[in-house]
Amino acid sequence: MRKAFLKLLAPAIALMLCLTCCASGDSEPWKTITDYEIGEYDGYSYELWKDSGDTTMSIYEDGVFECEWENINNALFRTGRKYDCTQTWQEIGNIQIEYDVDYRPDGNSYLALYGWTREPLVEYYIVESWGNWRPPGGVPTATITVDGALYDIYETTRYNAPSIDGNTTFQQYWAVRQEKSSSGTIKVGDVFTAWESLGMKLGKFYEASLTVEGYQSKGYARVNKNEITISDSVPEIPKGAGPMEPDENGVYEEAVFEQSEDSWQARGDCSVELSSAAAKSGDSSLLVKGRRESWNGAGRSLAASTFKPGEVFSFSVFAMQDSVDEEIFKLTLQYTANGQTDYAGIAEVTASRGEWAELSNASFVIPDGASGLLLYVETDSGTNSFYIDDAKIAVGEEPSEEQTDSQAEGDA
Ligand SMILES: [Ca+2]
């Protein structure tokens, strides 16, 4: 009886399944892959990249794909457009994506419009949704409004990490929605315009792909729609893009580490957190701990739209340690110029145990051609934990000729 009933029902179920499949694109994937593969299908580039773990990606027409991951370290699934790095994004056109994703991450994962440029080598993310952690951490350099949605802007540096040009050091640009979304429009050209107005230069265009990424997690996603439009319309300049303005006292920013880590993040393999164990001002400071190298410390990125080459700024931050009799602290600027990472010393101070010592330079000139700026506190040697407080960035005083000479020497 039961069997007969099922037999009767079978064609109906088959029809229903077909309707469901047809409604979301195709019934059968063109191809299902489980390992690294890069290729083209139906006008879209596709790529499955992973370093380890179990991955499955089924590719359909119109950039539609379905993916699943488990036991991975890092895996990316994507369909989009790839280019040969001969044109800037402006030469290619104003990119917009209409998308719709059934996104079910379990753990750390991002849903993003993603890609790369060369010269400079940049990995970029426009993050629409994420799993249990909102990337990339820290406090944004700016917040912009694109198509009515708020996105936080971040710039980070990856050291000796996998890239389209092998393992190397490069900048990551981020625009991360404040509220998760898994369907709608991404005005990619508007975000690119905002980045560039903030001094985050993009190079020769390699890729724009709708991407599902997993990191030490598992999950499932089905991209039901990935419609790319490239037009010759001019992107809008999003609200919130552009340079920082100093207040009436000439101060751009003062980080007191009372409510938040402000814009400061861990640099290298260490961590930062607010601590009430020590304070120069108020009740807390920023503790830097778990350092493995003397260059590990606390830093913040500086938007190149404000911190332009040749312009003068005043930097000041207090540092304290209670591990050794004396420690030499250094305030350093890391930057990229002519495609290479370089460092300029801003200030240096010797701090006795338990003493808040000031690292300051009222007339620091941003080096020629510098972009990808990172201001950070490190120590001359050792890996002891330390505290910083009252980090202030202000309008600089024009340097004397002597200072200009000594800075030029310091750079060399
Ligand atoms: Ca404080």
Side-chain angles (χ1 to χ4, degrees):
M1 177 69 191
R2 191 179 151 81
K3 211 171 175 182
F5 176 71
L6 276 176
K7 251 186 193 170
L8 271 172
L9 211 57
I13 291 171
L15 182 66
M16 272 167 63
L17 282 173
C18 179
L19 284 174
T20 314
C21 296
C22 297
S24 58
D26 266 301
S27 51
E28 287 292 317
W30 165 68
K31 195 175 195 180
T32 295
I33 55 180
T34 57
D35 216 334
Y36 176 78
E37 191 169 315
I38 183 168
E40 295 248 350
Y41 175 62
D42 196 32
Y44 285 77
S45 64
Y46 67 88
E47 184 169 344
L48 193 175
W49 182 94
K50 67 173 172 182
D51 53 10
S52 65
D54 303 324
T55 51
T56 307
M57 181 181 188
S58 294
I59 299 150
Y60 299 79
E61 285 174 3
D62 300 321
V64 168
F65 72 90
E66 190 171 24
C67 63
E68 212 163 348
W69 68 97
E70 201 173 8
N71 302 318
I72 55 150
N73 182 58
N74 192 195
L76 285 87
F77 310 89
R78 63 217 217 223
T79 59
R81 294 276 159 79
K82 284 203 172 89
Y83 297 88
D84 59 3
C85 297
T86 58
Q87 294 171 292
T88 62
W89 70 267
Q90 288 94 340
E91 288 164 337
I92 289 164
N94 184 6
I95 305 173
Q96 287 191 21
I97 312 279
E98 300 270 339
Y99 76 104
D100 178 39
V101 183
D102 178 6
Y103 179 53
R104 302 180 203 175
D106 182 356
N108 192 354
S109 168
Y110 326 140
L111 170 64
L113 191 283
Y114 167 90
W116 291 85
T117 71
R118 284 194 173 105
E119 301 170 57
L121 184 63
V122 170
E123 182 180 35
Y124 74 83
Y125 286 90
I126 302 171
V127 179
E128 292 290 289
S129 189
W130 54 92
N132 63 3
W133 184 74
R134 182 174 180 265
V139 169
T141 50
T143 300
I144 59 168
T145 307
V146 179
D147 206 23
L150 288 168
Y151 288 78
D152 290 327
I153 304 297
Y154 307 81
E155 182 173 358
T156 53
T157 305
R158 295 273 285 147
Y159 300 93
N160 288 321
S163 81
I164 52 168
D165 292 328
N167 279 17
T168 185
T169 296
F170 54 88
Q171 295 301 110
Q172 283 181 328
Y173 297 170
W174 299 84
V176 185
R177 276 183 73 106
Q178 289 189 352
E179 283 176 23
K180 292 178 179 179
S181 171
S182 58
S183 67
T185 305
I186 308 173
K187 294 197 167 173
V188 182
D190 289 15
V191 175
F192 288 170
T193 302
W195 279 336
E196 297 205 318
S197 81
L198 290 161
M200 298 157 76
K201 294 284 176 235
L202 291 154
K204 299 293 170 75
F205 212 70
Y206 176 76
E207 182 184 11
S209 291
L210 191 62
T211 300
V212 175
E213 175 162 1
Y215 185 76
Q216 296 179 352
S217 61
K218 60 179 181 175
Y220 164 88
R222 185 182 162 98
V223 171
N224 292 310
K225 185 181 186 185
N226 178 9
E227 215 174 283
I228 302 171
T229 315
I230 299 172
S231 70
D232 55 12
S233 65
V234 178
E236 286 181 32
I237 301 171
K239 196 173 142 239
M244 285 164 80
E245 293 295 335
D247 68 11
E248 65 276 15
N249 301 314
V251 176
Y252 286 97
E253 183 189 270
E254 191 158 15
V256 292
F257 308 114
E258 296 297 314
Q259 308 297 328
S260 78
E261 293 158 11
D262 294 306
S263 305
W264 291 71
Q265 302 174 35
R267 175 171 192 260
D269 200 0
C270 62
S271 65
V272 295
E273 63 184 39
L274 289 190
S275 169
S276 54
K280 171 73 174 71
S281 68
D283 299 322
S284 57
S285 63
L286 189 72
L287 168 63
V288 185
K289 62 177 191 177
R291 300 167 67 227
R292 286 162 184 262
E293 303 281 350
S294 64
W295 57 263
N296 293 166
R300 61 146 300 158
S301 59
L302 301 175
S305 55
T306 304
F307 300 90
K308 292 178 187 153
E311 296 199 356
V312 189
F313 294 90
S314 168
F315 295 105
S316 164
V317 55
F318 288 84
M320 193 276 273
Q321 56 84 24
D322 51 15
S323 306
V324 288
D325 288 344
E326 283 194 337
E327 182 99 83
I328 299 170
F329 285 107
K330 288 155 79 172
L331 181 64
T332 309
L333 183 74
Q334 175 190 305
Y335 61 97
T336 307
N338 303 319
Q340 292 202 321
T341 303
D342 222 329
Y343 306 88
I346 298 173
E348 200 172 300
V349 70
T350 303
S352 302
R353 188 194 301 270
E355 175 207 355
W356 281 100
E358 186 179 14
L359 285 155
S360 83
N361 184 339
S363 308
F364 181 79
V365 183
I366 304 296
D368 282 349
S371 65
L373 308 176
L374 181 77
L375 177 73
Y376 68 98
V377 178
E378 60 183 338
T379 56
D380 189 49
S381 62
T383 59
N384 294 317
S385 297
F386 64 82
Y387 302 86
I388 63 167
D389 209 351
D390 295 355
K392 191 163 133 182
I393 302 169
V395 172
E397 299 161 15
E398 280 304 320
S400 64
E401 259 179 45
E402 213 172 287
Q403 282 172 314
T404 313
D405 290 349
S406 75
Q407 188 181 320
E409 267 170 43
D411 292 350

